[in-house]
């Protein structure tokens, strides 16, 4: 018997009526199971998101999906006649080995459970962890994913977040912005206060309640330092910050109120005695040019 006949014989022995029945059963399980699994996952995400929070919906969707995949795998293996006992034994031994080798992952999982229970932030909140500020994309069992404002992806382990101070910038609907304003000592503080209050009252992003405040902050080295405190919606904080700065500068210029800046003196190697500087007018320059000619 040649090799072609042997291969045809083996192929005919494998592809029997029982094989086609078994393949049909597996195909039906997969064809029905996957659509049902995706429907249940979508429903779980929607239900928990509406009832609790979006990160609960994401977590519920993942639990349903991976549980459903496991059940489908078990059903397919049952149709194929594979025993689960050896696989469960091997999985137990592998789980013990992985448990010793991945203590950090276990710590992150436990920390993730604490985060989900405590809810210091949720998906779409803006948080600061250490030196990183970004929008929360997801809260998973091992880590939290952030998207920074310059569109970078940052993954922070849950254990790190549990051990680190976390600032939630959007937890409350309103937020205060403090604009530091410095004016010259010669200026009238009452007039400066009036100008700053006008800026706060006319700004479109400023809330009237809590009302704006102007605080005398300190006597600076070369200026009087004030603080303009205004409240606005957390979602419009950047617009509030930018517009307040621009309007403060414009209104102070219109009122001829001086904003001082540091001055530098140049010395020619002596302990005292700055380099003399003479400022000449335009007429004086023209006279010098004529004399030089």
């Amino acid at each position: 018997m040649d090799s072609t006949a042997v291969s045809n014989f083996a192929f005919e022995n494998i592809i029997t009526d029982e094989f086609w029945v078994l393949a049909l059963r597996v195909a039906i399980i997969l064809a029905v199971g996957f659509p049902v699994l995706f429907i249940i996952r979508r429903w779980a995400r929607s239900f928990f998101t509406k009832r609790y929070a979006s990160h609960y919906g994401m977590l519920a969707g993942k639990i349903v999906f991976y549980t459903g995949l496991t059940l489908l795998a078990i059903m397919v293996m049952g149709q194929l006649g594979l025993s689960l006992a050896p696989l469960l034994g091997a999985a137990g031994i592998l789980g013990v080995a992985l448990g010793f080798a991945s203590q950090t992952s276990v710590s992150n999982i436990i920390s993730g459970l604490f985060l989900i229970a405590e809810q210091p932030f949720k998906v779409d909140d803006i948080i600061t962890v250490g030196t990183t500020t970004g929008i929360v994309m997801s809260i998973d069992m091992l880590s939290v994913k952030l998207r920074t404002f310059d569109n970078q992806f940052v993954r922070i382990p849950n254990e790190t977040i549990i051990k680190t101070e976390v600032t939630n910038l959007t937890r409350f609907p309103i937020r205060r912005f403090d604009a530091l304003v410095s004016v010259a000592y010669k200026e009238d503080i009452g007039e400066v206060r009036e100008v700053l209050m006008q800026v706060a009252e006319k700004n479109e992003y400023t809330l009237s309640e809590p009302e704006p405040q102007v605080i005398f902050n300190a006597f600076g080295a070369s200026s009087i330092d004030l603080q303009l405190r205004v409240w606005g919606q957390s979602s419009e904080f950047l617009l509030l910050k930018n517009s307040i700065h621009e309007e403060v500068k414009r209104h102070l210029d219109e009122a001829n109120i001086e904003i001082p800046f540091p001055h530098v003196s140049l010395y020619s190697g002596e302990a005292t005695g700055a380099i003399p500087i003479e400022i000449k007018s335009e007429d004086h320059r023209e006279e010098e040019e004529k004399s030089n000619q």
Side-chain angles (χ1 to χ4, degrees), residues 86-103:
L87 293 177
L88 293 176
I93 297 174
L94 182 61
V96 173
L98 290 176
F100 284 106
S102 59
Q103 296 181 7

Side-chain angles (χ1 to χ4, degrees), residues 197-217:
M197 289 299 293
Q198 289 178 358
V199 170
E201 292 170 359
K202 294 180 180 179
N203 186 276
E204 61 178 313
Y205 303 108
T206 301
L207 299 177
S208 57
E209 183 64 33
E211 62 181 10
Q213 292 179 316
V214 176
I215 305 298
F216 195 116
N217 204 26

Side-chain angles (χ1 to χ4, degrees), residues 29-47:
I29 292 174
L30 297 178
V32 175
F34 274 108
V36 171
L37 177 59
F38 285 119
I39 292 173
I40 296 176
R41 183 181 69 169
R42 189 181 303 112
W43 173 85
R45 290 189 62 172
S46 176
F47 175 80

Side-chain angles (χ1 to χ4, degrees), residues 44-274:
R45 290 189 62 172
S46 176
F47 175 80
F48 283 93
T49 297
K50 293 179 180 179
R51 193 176 184 88
Y52 300 102
S54 55
H55 60 275
Y56 283 111
M58 297 173 66
L59 180 61
K62 291 180 180 179
I63 292 175
V64 169
F65 182 73
Y66 290 115
T67 302
L69 281 181
T70 303
L71 292 177
L72 285 177
I74 292 174
M75 293 174 66
V76 171
M77 292 174 62
Q79 292 295 323
L80 296 177
L82 299 176
S83 176
L84 296 178
L87 293 177
L88 293 176
I93 297 174
L94 182 61
V96 173
L98 290 176
F100 284 106
S102 59
Q103 296 181 7
T104 302
S105 297
V106 174
S107 178
N108 284 324
I109 292 175
I110 297 175
S111 300
L113 295 176
F114 279 110
L115 286 177
I116 293 172
E118 187 180 3
Q119 295 187 43
F121 51 82
K122 60 182 184 297
V123 175
D124 293 332
D125 277 350
I126 300 175
I127 66 172
T128 298
V129 183
T131 59
T132 303
T133 300
I135 303 173
V136 178
M137 297 175 60
S138 65
I139 305 172
D140 299 324
M141 295 303 295
L142 293 177
S143 63
V144 172
K145 279 81 172 180
L146 302 181
R147 180 171 61 84
T148 63
F149 291 107
D150 55 352
N151 210 33
Q152 295 185 17
F153 176 84
V154 180
R155 177 186 178 275
I156 304 177
N158 291 335
E159 184 180 10
T160 301
I161 294 181
I162 288 293
K163 295 180 179 179
T164 307
E165 179 179 308
V166 178
T167 303
N168 190 334
L169 303 178
T170 53
R171 180 64 177 265
F172 303 110
I174 63 173
R175 184 179 170 190
R176 194 182 77 190
F177 169 63
D178 299 338
L180 301 179
V181 181
S182 297
V183 297
Y185 271 95
K186 67 181 181 66
E187 303 297 343
D188 186 335
I189 300 302
E191 181 183 358
V192 176
R193 184 186 301 273
E194 183 179 348
V195 171
L196 295 180
M197 289 299 293
Q198 289 178 358
V199 170
E201 292 170 359
K202 294 180 180 179
N203 186 276
E204 61 178 313
Y205 303 108
T206 301
L207 299 177
S208 57
E209 183 64 33
E211 62 181 10
Q213 292 179 316
V214 176
I215 305 298
F216 195 116
N217 204 26
F219 291 100
S222 59
S223 63
I224 293 178
D225 299 330
L226 306 173
Q227 190 179 78
L228 173 61
R229 296 179 175 180
V230 293
W231 290 83
Q233 297 290 337
S234 298
S235 59
E236 299 177 339
F237 183 79
L238 292 179
L239 297 173
L240 171 66
K241 178 179 179 180
N242 192 56
S243 60
I244 285 291
H245 278 150
E246 291 180 356
E247 293 173 11
V248 165
K249 174 64 168 63
R250 179 167 58 84
H251 280 74
L252 291 181
D253 289 344
E254 292 176 354
N256 293 321
I257 297 175
E258 180 184 352
I259 301 176
F261 56 90
H263 294 73
V264 178
S265 298
L266 301 177
Y267 295 88
S268 58
E270 299 180 7
T272 57

